[in-house]
Amino acid sequence: RRPGDLAVELPMAAPVPPPPPADEPVAAVVVGAAASSRSAVLTAFLDGAPLPDLRPPESFLVIRHGTVERIAAYLPGWSQPWIVPARSARSGAGLALPRPPRRVEVIRPDASLRRLSLVDSPDLETLRSAGATVLLDAAVRGGALVFVVGAGPPPGQIEHERLRRALGAGVAVFVAITAAGIQSAGESFQRAELLAAVPELEQAPWHSVDAATGDAVFLRREVTDWAA
């Protein structure tokens, strides 16, 4: 790993993240910060391609590769997904669904998604016990977790506990600090605060992401290289 690839200097002896699971589809679960910060990191990861703002806050968003752009909403009690035309999603009309979906799936012919899928979680404080279990299971099955630190309140006990459980389960964790998060508290302070609560993150790759310019090149490179 080249030193210039990291926004935050890591110890020379820091190990590489655990490899992706051999018998499961590779995915990175995005958690932490507010939904707007996670969405900004996802948009930057996808090289500036905006995501449709369609799902309710309590739903999961899955972004995966496909040859035809498509959006599908999976509703509780429905055996088939509710298909949303991509044109309607781009218009910003939203989803007119009979029930809130458990997850919304976005299919895109994006080269960044050839090696892995992305899963954006609901806000952690909104998850009940069952939802937290689903989140950890998705991270374990996918193999990776991207923890986003943005502007606003620093990560709290709920976020710390989710990180500890993911690390303890052998999930590869990547930390993304947004430019807004750096401006609000400073990168060194954000790092020190998080490491004080979860020292195991000293071994994780850290990257700064400028959502305004769509700059997530180093984060994207490290996560996609890990997934290869």
Side-chain angles (χ1 to χ4, degrees), residues 181-201:
I182 293 173
Q183 292 171 3
S184 66
E187 188 168 356
S188 297
F189 178 78
Q190 295 273 27
R191 177 179 166 87
E193 285 276 293
L194 199 49
L195 286 179
V198 190
E200 299 89 342
L201 284 177

Side-chain angles (χ1 to χ4, degrees), residues 96-221:
L97 300 177
R99 305 181 62 177
R102 283 202 177 101
R103 79 179 189 274
V104 174
E105 191 171 90
V106 176
I107 311 298
R108 281 190 170 173
D110 189 303
S112 302
L113 300 171
R114 289 185 182 274
R115 296 179 178 176
L116 82 162
S117 300
L118 300 172
V119 180
D120 186 20
S121 74
D123 291 339
L124 293 181
E125 62 269 17
T126 68
L127 289 176
R128 298 181 180 178
S129 177
T133 300
V134 169
L135 175 63
L136 180 62
D137 182 64
V140 171
R141 287 177 176 272
L145 185 146
V146 177
F147 186 79
V148 178
V149 180
Q157 185 175 353
I158 293 175
E159 290 90 344
H160 298 158
E161 179 59 26
R162 300 287 183 265
L163 282 168
R164 293 189 195 100
R165 292 183 64 187
L167 288 162
V171 175
V173 175
F174 304 82
V175 182
I177 304 179
T178 68
I182 293 173
Q183 292 171 3
S184 66
E187 188 168 356
S188 297
F189 178 78
Q190 295 273 27
R191 177 179 166 87
E193 285 276 293
L194 199 49
L195 286 179
V198 190
E200 299 89 342
L201 284 177
E202 183 72 36
Q203 301 178 352
W206 292 62
H207 297 275
S208 59
V209 176
D210 189 348
T213 62
D215 184 7
V217 60
F218 295 131
L219 174 67
R220 181 170 59 246
R221 179 187 301 167

Side-chain angles (χ1 to χ4, degrees), residues 6-18:
L6 298 178
V8 180
E9 185 179 355
L10 298 178
M12 294 298 292
V16 297

